[in-house]
Amino acid sequence: QPSFQDVNHIIAQVMSNTTSTLRFQGCENNSDIRKLCTNLVPFPRIHFLLQAQAPLIGLGNAKWERLGIPEMAAQMFDARSLLSDSGDLRLSGKILTASCLFRGKNLSALEAEQSINSLRKKNEGTFVEWIPDNTMTAVCKVPTSFAPNGVSGTFLANSTSISQSFRTLSDSFEKMMKAKAYVHWYTQEGMDLAEFQEALSNVQDLIGDYQQYQEAGIDDEGDDDDAMDLEDEDGQITSSAQSSKFHKEAMSSLRSFASKTTKASHNGSL
């Protein structure tokens, strides 16, 4: 059974690898924290990431483990390397975006890219089809201090399977709310019961958003009625049954911006 030291060691590896391209300059990498956020978060509310670490071994065995890039990439996609209870990424949900970060002295960026592309093709059904090239690869040639002569990798995925964790959280929260367990600690500090219901509603809406993006697909006929918000005969905006609040606000903002731009251009021409 893993000790607290082993768990802390794994967490330290994940954080160290994730920030390595930001902390070490001159490495062969195409990633930093800003690019990670830009590439891994396609929608504002869908910003919760799953992590996997390879090799996932104890602190005492780290110096004895030797893996090549293909084996490392395979372990990163393995459900046993995932640091979450969301299930196997290849069997539950869809991966929207992903990032694979490798660290080691003698790493080949080309080999890392080829290994990830090969795994992506083998698990093509795991990734959404409407975000092309949604897997990025970064290589840092400064090895980790835990295994200075070895290779390590961290896998960051924005997957809809994380909704399972939110669903478990929502169910547990709802059960305690029905019994009003621990509520008095918050109400005596000034919180209202309506705030608890609002928090539960937000989590349930988030689960619905993830479900929507999991079931979304490319419209082969190019019919916008099934994918986007449209304007009806009265000039009002109508939404499909599964359209999220974000899409409504985004379309409204775009129309407002377009209207202001048009007016400004007319004024300028006069």
Side-chain angles (χ1 to χ4, degrees), residues 82-128:
L82 191 65
L83 309 181
S84 173
D85 61 349
S86 300
D88 193 339
L89 295 181
R90 295 169 293 185
L91 302 177
S92 62
K94 293 280 189 178
I95 297 178
L96 303 176
T97 54
S99 176
C100 305
L101 304 106
F102 294 88
R103 288 187 70 180
K105 281 185 178 180
N106 301 313
L107 288 180
S108 170
L110 178 60
E111 186 179 3
E113 189 77 28
Q114 290 175 344
S115 298
I116 295 301
N117 288 339
S118 176
L119 282 171
R120 191 184 185 283
K121 290 179 180 179
K122 290 180 181 178
N123 302 278
E124 191 171 358
T126 306
F127 296 84
V128 295

Side-chain angles (χ1 to χ4, degrees), residues 219-241:
D219 189 355
D220 296 331
E221 298 180 358
D223 187 3
D224 292 338
D225 291 339
D226 297 331
M228 299 296 293
D229 295 332
L230 296 178
E231 187 171 354
D232 60 9
E233 297 178 355
D234 298 329
Q236 296 179 346
I237 304 302
T238 61
S239 304
S240 62

Side-chain angles (χ1 to χ4, degrees), residues 7 22 38 96 104 107 128 131 133 138 150 167 178 187 207 254 259:
V7 174
L22 174 67
T38 302
L96 303 176
L107 288 180
V128 295
I131 302 182
D133 300 327
R167 189 171 286 108
K178 288 182 179 179
T187 54
I207 295 173
L254 285 173
S259 177

